[in-house]
Amino acid sequence: MAAPYSASAPAEQGDLFAAATPASDPEWQRLQALRQALHHHAWRYYVLDDPEIPDAEYDRLFAELRELEARHPQWVTPDSPTQRVGGQPLQGFAPVRHAVPMLSIRTETDTEPAAALAFDARIRKDLGLGPDEPPVLYVAEPKFDGLAIGLRYEYGVLVCAATRGDGETGEDVTPNIRTIGQIPLRLQGEGARVPKLEVRGEVYMRRDDFEALNARQRERGDKTFVNPRNAAAGAVRQLDPRITASRPLSFFAYGLGEVSPPAEGGPAFETHWDVLQALRGWGFPVTDLARRCAGGEALAAYHRDMGAQRDALPFDIDGVVYKVDRLDWQRTLGFVTREPRWAIAHKYPAQEQLTRVLAIDVQVGRTGKLTPVARLEPVFVGGVTVTHATLHNADEVARKDVRVGDTVIVRRAGDVIPEVVAVAPPLPEPRGPAFAMPTSCPVCGSAVVREPGEVDHRCSGGLYCPAQRKQAILHFAQRRAMDIEGLGEKLVDQLVDGQIVRGVADLYRLGLSSLVGLERMAEKSASNVLAAIEASKSTTLARFLFALGIRHVGERTARDLARHFGRLDAIMDASVEQLLQVPDVGPVVAQSIHTFFAQPHNREVVEQLRASGVHWPEHEGAAAEAAAAPLAGKTFVLTGTLPNWSREHATALIEAAGGKVSGAVSRKTDYVVAGEAAGSKLDKARALGVTILDEAGLRALLQEANPVNPESGSDRG
């Protein structure tokens, strides 16, 4: 931690106070202690990612310092933690001439390992090293995709921050850089005693911070950023530092510019690796991914390793940088034109490229979601040739204003689906028409719906649409729906891919010969699946409704619909207003149900299922049932394991007959249905004198409630 200012220190050593202050002044002492503490905790938080105190305590110390400085404005200095917050907007950026030019590193665009070997061979030749001499030691580091910055410190205090500019002259962005928490305003350790010290590094934006920033931009209706680098560069070059302060910027230090010589109090280093360790000790974040490499083969291995990690890193890199480690060898090698001979950047395949939009197609996903996809002129990006890129949804297409014929920026990172991130100028004249989402599904012709408050458009033909077959069948067969045991994802894939099954109704037409011979499907397994399909024909209206996969209709809503209407035809023919009379069914759910049954395709599938023998008990609905059904108004509690019925199945049967199922036994409970290993609920029922039934008793009660369509059989396969 840096030592506090001394009132008696000479001006050239960093005393920035307007007037000397007695060291005995308690407020002066408290101010110094607060600054030390806040610098320390900011370093722990931003650089080490290992805070020692809660955020609330940091905020309390910060507020106390701000109050002290408000009482003593003459004590405010540029290195105070309070000066990180953005100040008043600037009129423009003042030019800053770099004492040591900020030169670019030569870039090797050949992404093959041979580029690393060629660099090593050249270095050895330039240094006059023979084949028998030891390998050259290098430092390899990621090449951050951000904005290069030079930070000038005087006696450990940040006094100026400048962009690279043209290498000779940059722009003074000091007020903006002060807002970045990872950049120390005062240096720790030996760095605090160096008269002049310029630290160089990269301002960047983490990927998660970039995504969060763009999400906030979209919520406000503001323009989003193309990539993290542009977002970081734009934030640093804001004339209003308060805008910079609102952007989530990060920093890595990787080198030095002008430094006081050792004779004048500057540090002495022998290697670049030593420089990196010193930077870390002075309070700067330094990447843990830097590595010492002996010889060209080690550099090539580093390039491969970082390439494999590239997509999993929390920030963007576009290559790696190799630097000769020994500083005396760097001086010997020197520079050529405007590039150091002792360093090179070894690139990776570009993750962004320009290409032209040939068409905008619409794909239908397995859940019915419609996604606009740009068909592109083939372009090599991210290591592969890309011909299609997602546009996400209609709102994104409109916001980016992507049209057929436009030149666009396409981004691909690793296995991520390529996406169109922006339209690139200049715009063609004339431009193609604006994109509009189709009103009918391009696969099955069903109506396309977009519910209020949702960004996605969806096909309403879930049971019929070929694009949704697999998802519809898996949902239909799940345990809480039709409960077809053995009909899992792998079998459904084989049935649909082999065109054996084209929809849920086809399940009830399967025979032994259709299944035997499929992967992992011997005669016994096939017979078990067919038995489960046959058993599923006897179900409840609530289960059947849930199995249809109507959007927003879960198990509870399906039970409410079955209880209220009693008959499937009544639900299918119900208006939105009639559906709204069902408890807990709101406008969105009511419209979703009505739209589903308004599709002729869906009604056809329902009739096919009925014709296949799928059936359930029906009644006249809640109103009539309340007057006539023996179980209306009766409360049941289930406990233990029933021999043939699952608890979900028994619950559905009770509710279909007008009863209510509760989770707790009370004096208002009419029946407790007890199975094997019944627990404390059974004991409480006995104590309260509640009628206790076993499964046979419940079955008899249900038959009495609905003698026309008594439930029989088992739901356990």
Side-chain angles (χ1 to χ4, degrees):
M1 189 185 304
Y5 284 119
S6 168
S8 60
E12 66 269 21
Q13 291 191 16
D15 183 10
L16 302 177
F17 292 102
T21 305
S24 60
D25 187 320
E27 290 202 335
W28 159 274
Q29 293 173 351
R30 180 56 181 164
L31 178 142
Q32 293 293 74
L34 286 169
R35 286 180 177 172
Q36 285 186 334
L38 289 167
H39 281 308
H40 172 76
H41 291 304
W43 171 67
R44 298 285 308 188
Y45 182 90
Y46 290 109
V47 179
L48 301 187
D49 195 21
D50 184 24
E52 295 177 331
I53 61 174
D55 290 352
E57 177 61 13
Y58 183 92
D59 293 342
R60 188 190 67 77
L61 296 175
F62 189 90
E64 184 183 352
L65 175 61
R66 189 162 49 194
E67 289 175 5
L68 269 175
E69 291 183 344
R71 289 200 297 271
H72 303 282
Q74 74 276 14
W75 292 352
V76 178
T77 60
D79 66 315
S80 172
T82 63
Q83 301 307 294
R84 282 205 188 278
V85 297
Q88 294 300 310
L90 306 173
Q91 297 300 313
F93 296 113
V96 174
R97 186 164 184 83
H98 301 299
V100 175
M102 292 184 70
L103 302 181
S104 299
I105 295 176
R106 186 169 72 86
T107 298
E108 176 54 69
T109 57
D110 182 356
T111 60
E112 296 302 313
L117 303 179
F119 172 68
D120 176 58
R122 178 176 64 77
I123 292 296
R124 293 186 65 86
K125 178 182 177 182
D126 290 348
L127 290 172
L129 300 177
D132 297 330
E133 296 189 64
V136 174
L137 196 62
Y138 302 93
V139 174
E141 309 164 33
K143 185 178 182 298
F144 307 109
D145 198 10
L147 183 71
I149 292 290
L151 307 171
R152 183 179 178 88
Y153 290 82
E154 294 181 0
Y155 291 99
V157 177
L158 177 65
V159 296
C160 182
T163 61
R164 182 198 302 274
D166 63 2
E168 298 287 344
T169 303
E171 295 176 316
D172 188 341
V173 290
T174 309
N176 295 344
I177 292 301
R178 289 183 186 281
T179 68
I180 302 175
Q182 288 184 316
I183 294 178
L185 301 179
R186 297 180 69 178
L187 302 185
Q188 303 177 16
E190 295 296 324
R193 290 189 280 275
V194 181
K196 294 179 182 179
L197 176 66
E198 185 191 359
V199 175
R200 291 179 175 174
E202 200 91 357
V203 173
Y204 68 97
M205 191 175 290
R206 289 173 54 97
R207 289 172 178 163
D208 54 354
D209 288 334
F210 172 73
E211 295 298 335
L213 173 63
N214 264 353
R216 292 194 297 272
Q217 294 288 105
R218 281 191 288 269
E219 288 174 6
R220 292 194 294 259
D222 295 338
K223 180 182 177 181
T224 56
F225 299 95
V226 173
N227 54 45
R229 186 193 183 282
N230 288 1
V236 169
R237 301 194 70 258
Q238 288 288 331
L239 290 175
D240 188 346
R242 289 169 296 190
I243 296 178
T244 308
S246 70
R247 305 280 172 82
L249 298 176
S250 298
F251 179 77
F252 274 128
Y254 53 63
L256 298 174
E258 181 188 21
V259 181
S260 296
E264 298 176 11
F269 301 111
E270 294 184 357
T271 67
H272 178 64
W273 188 258
D274 292 339
V275 171
L276 295 181
Q277 308 320 305
L279 289 169
R280 185 177 281 115
W282 295 339
F284 290 97
V286 176
T287 179
D288 293 330
L289 299 172
R291 187 187 306 168
R292 266 178 160 169
C293 299
E297 292 288 353
L299 292 180
Y302 181 83
H303 186 268
R304 286 192 299 270
D305 292 347
M306 289 306 303
Q309 299 181 50
R310 182 186 186 191
D311 297 322
L313 295 176
F315 45 79
D316 283 352
I317 64 171
D318 55 5
V320 295
V321 177
Y322 310 137
K323 301 175 183 176
V324 172
D325 191 29
R326 282 178 51 172
L327 299 182
D328 61 335
W329 279 1
Q330 288 188 11
R331 291 188 287 271
T332 298
L333 291 164
F335 297 83
V336 55
T337 61
R338 298 175 58 82
E339 299 169 345
R341 296 182 59 83
W342 42 267
I344 193 174
H346 191 179
K347 299 278 279 188
Y348 291 119
Q351 292 181 309
E352 291 183 353
Q353 290 287 6
L354 295 177
T355 188
R356 195 167 68 90
V357 178
L358 301 178
I360 298 179
D361 303 324
V362 175
Q363 294 181 350
V364 184
R366 59 186 295 168
T367 63
K369 175 185 172 182
L370 272 63
T371 302
V373 176
R375 201 180 333 143
L376 309 168
E377 284 185 349
V379 60
F380 191 76
V381 55
V384 300
T385 299
V386 171
T387 57
H388 293 80
T390 182
L391 289 162
H392 298 292
N393 54 60
D395 286 354
E396 282 291 283
V397 181
R399 185 181 61 78
K400 295 172 182 175
D401 194 19
V402 179
R403 306 189 188 190
V404 175
D406 288 352
T407 297
V408 293
I409 300 171
V410 177
R411 179 175 176 82
R412 181 187 180 274
D415 295 329
V416 177
I417 298 172
E419 67 170 335
V420 172
V421 294
V423 175
L427 298 177
E429 290 292 344
R431 296 185 74 198
F435 171 79
M437 191 67 81
T439 56
S440 299
C441 174
V443 176
C444 73
S446 297
V448 170
V449 296
R450 182 184 186 182
E451 295 168 359
E454 295 232 347
V455 298
D456 293 324
H457 288 71
R458 295 181 181 276
C459 166
S460 60
L463 284 178
Y464 172 79
C465 184
Q468 303 175 65
R469 281 175 184 162
K470 292 181 181 179
Q471 184 70 21
I473 294 170
L474 287 169
H475 177 82
F476 184 84
Q478 67 167 288
R479 184 171 67 87
R480 296 180 181 274
M482 300 302 285
D483 194 19
I484 304 177
E485 188 174 351
L487 196 63
E489 190 169 348
K490 290 185 178 179
L491 179 54
V492 169
D493 284 344
Q494 294 183 76
L495 292 173
V496 174
D497 294 343
Q499 297 187 356
I500 301 169
V501 168
R502 290 180 171 81
V504 293
D506 288 344
L507 295 173
Y508 296 95
R509 304 186 185 102
L510 288 174
L512 198 62
S513 60
S514 304
L515 297 177
V516 173
L518 296 177
E519 184 182 350
R520 298 182 181 179
M521 193 56 58
E523 185 170 336
K524 183 177 180 181
S525 300
S527 297
N528 289 340
V529 171
L530 291 175
I533 292 174
E534 183 65 27
S536 74
K537 290 181 179 179
S538 179
T539 185
T540 66
L541 178 55
R543 277 177 172 267
F544 183 77
L545 284 170
F546 177 58
L548 294 180
I550 306 168
R551 186 160 169 77
H552 299 306
V553 175
E555 294 175 83
R556 183 185 182 92
T557 301
R559 289 197 298 266
D560 290 343
L561 288 166
R563 185 185 300 117
H564 183 85
F565 288 100
R567 297 180 300 110
L568 178 61
D569 288 338
I571 300 171
M572 293 172 66
D573 295 336
S575 65
V576 171
E577 291 72 21
Q578 290 172 320
L579 289 165
L580 286 170
Q581 296 175 15
V582 180
D584 298 326
V585 170
V588 172
V589 179
Q591 186 61 58
S592 179
I593 298 166
H594 186 266
T595 301
F596 181 88
F597 287 118
Q599 302 302 308
H601 307 310
N602 292 336
R603 282 179 172 262
E604 181 182 345
V605 174
V606 169
E607 292 311 314
Q608 290 174 0
L609 290 167
R610 279 172 153 171
S612 299
V614 178
H615 66 278
W616 51 85
E618 290 197 334
H619 53 87
E620 290 305 314
E625 197 173 70
L631 300 190
K634 302 296 184 181
T635 300
F636 292 73
V637 172
L638 303 176
T639 181
T641 304
L642 301 179
N644 295 298
W645 289 348
S646 67
R647 185 170 298 186
E648 293 83 1
H649 190 64
T651 297
L653 294 173
I654 291 168
E655 291 180 341
K660 175 184 176 183
V661 177
S662 173
V665 178
S666 70
R667 295 187 183 277
K668 295 182 179 180
T669 304
D670 296 290
Y671 299 97
V672 167
V673 182
E676 185 180 349
S680 59
K681 292 178 182 178
L682 178 58
D683 296 334
K684 188 171 183 180
R686 287 171 175 156
L688 293 175
V690 176
T691 302
I692 298 169
L693 302 174
D694 58 10
E695 183 183 292
L698 175 60
R699 189 187 299 270
L701 196 61
L702 289 168
Q703 186 170 358
E704 180 184 352
N706 194 355
V708 177
N709 241 326
E711 170 71 18
S712 63
S714 168
D715 75 324
R716 297 189 182 277

